[in-house]
Coordinates of all heavy atoms in Angstrom, one line a residue:
Chain O
I106 N 4.4 -19.0 4.9 CA 5.6 -18.1 4.9 C 5.6 -17.2 3.7 O 5.8 -16.0 3.8 CB 6.9 -18.9 5.0 CG1 6.9 -19.7 6.3 CG2 8.1 -18.0 4.8 CD1 8.1 -20.7 6.3
A107 N 5.3 -17.8 2.5 CA 5.3 -17.0 1.3 C 4.3 -15.9 1.3 O 4.5 -14.8 0.9 CB 5.0 -18.0 0.1
N108 N 3.1 -16.2 1.9 CA 2.0 -15.2 2.0 C 2.5 -14.1 2.9 O 2.2 -12.9 2.6 CB 0.7 -15.8 2.5 CG -0.1 -16.5 1.5 OD1 -0.2 -15.9 0.4 ND2 -0.6 -17.6 1.7
L109 N 3.2 -14.4 3.9 CA 3.7 -13.4 4.9 C 4.7 -12.5 4.1 O 4.7 -11.3 4.3 CB 4.3 -14.1 6.1 CG 4.5 -13.2 7.3 CD1 3.1 -13.0 7.9 CD2 5.4 -13.9 8.3
L110 N 5.5 -13.1 3.3 CA 6.5 -12.4 2.6 C 5.9 -11.4 1.6 O 6.4 -10.3 1.4 CB 7.5 -13.3 1.9 CG 8.5 -14.0 2.9 CD1 9.4 -15.0 2.1 CD2 9.4 -13.0 3.6
V111 N 4.8 -11.9 0.9 CA 4.1 -11.1 0.0 C 3.6 -9.9 0.7 O 3.7 -8.7 0.2 CB 3.0 -11.9 -0.7 CG1 2.1 -11.0 -1.5 CG2 3.6 -12.9 -1.6
L112 N 3.0 -10.1 1.8 CA 2.4 -9.0 2.6 C 3.5 -8.0 3.0 O 3.3 -6.8 2.8 CB 1.7 -9.6 3.8 CG 0.7 -8.6 4.5 CD1 -0.4 -8.2 3.6 CD2 0.2 -9.3 5.8
S113 N 4.6 -8.5 3.5 CA 5.7 -7.6 3.9 C 6.2 -6.8 2.7 O 6.5 -5.6 2.8 CB 6.9 -8.3 4.5 OG 6.5 -9.6 4.9
G114 N 6.2 -7.5 1.5 CA 6.7 -6.8 0.3 C 5.8 -5.6 -0.1 O 6.3 -4.6 -0.7
L115 N 4.5 -5.7 0.3 CA 3.6 -4.6 -0.1 C 3.8 -3.4 0.9 O 3.5 -2.3 0.5 CB 2.2 -5.1 0.0 CG 1.8 -6.1 -1.1 CD1 0.4 -6.6 -0.8 CD2 1.8 -5.5 -2.4
I116 N 4.2 -3.7 2.1 CA 4.3 -2.7 3.1 C 5.6 -2.1 3.4 O 5.8 -0.9 3.4 CB 3.7 -3.2 4.4 CG1 2.2 -3.6 4.2 CG2 3.8 -2.2 5.6 CD1 1.6 -4.3 5.5
I117 N 6.7 -3.0 3.5 CA 8.0 -2.5 3.9 C 8.7 -1.6 2.8 O 8.8 -2.0 1.7 CB 8.9 -3.7 4.2 CG1 8.3 -4.5 5.4 CG2 10.3 -3.3 4.6 CD1 9.0 -5.8 5.7
P118 N 9.1 -0.5 3.2 CA 9.9 0.3 2.3 C 11.3 -0.3 2.1 O 11.9 -0.7 3.1 CB 10.0 1.7 3.0 CG 9.7 1.4 4.4 CD 8.9 0.2 4.5
P119 N 11.8 -0.5 0.9 CA 13.1 -1.1 0.7 C 14.2 -0.3 1.3 O 14.2 0.9 1.4 CB 13.2 -1.1 -0.8 CG 11.9 -0.8 -1.4 CD 11.1 0.0 -0.3
A120 N 15.2 -1.0 1.9 CA 16.4 -0.4 2.5 C 17.3 -0.1 1.3 O 17.9 -1.0 0.8 CB 17.0 -1.3 3.5
V121 N 17.5 1.2 1.1 CA 18.2 1.6 -0.2 C 19.7 1.3 -0.2 O 20.2 0.5 -1.0 CB 18.0 3.1 -0.4 CG1 18.5 3.4 -1.8 CG2 16.6 3.5 -0.2
V122 N 20.4 1.8 0.8 CA 21.9 1.7 0.8 C 22.3 0.2 0.9 O 23.2 -0.2 0.2 CB 22.6 2.6 1.8 CG1 24.1 2.7 1.5 CG2 22.0 4.0 1.7
P123 N 21.7 -0.5 1.8 CA 22.0 -2.0 1.9 C 21.8 -2.7 0.6 O 22.5 -3.6 0.2 CB 21.1 -2.5 3.0 CG 20.9 -1.3 3.9 CD 20.8 -0.2 3.0

Side-chain angles (χ1 to χ4, degrees):
Chain O
I106 297 172
N108 277 318
L109 199 71
L110 287 177
V111 167
L112 195 62
S113 342
L115 293 174
I116 296 176
I117 298 173
V121 194
V122 193

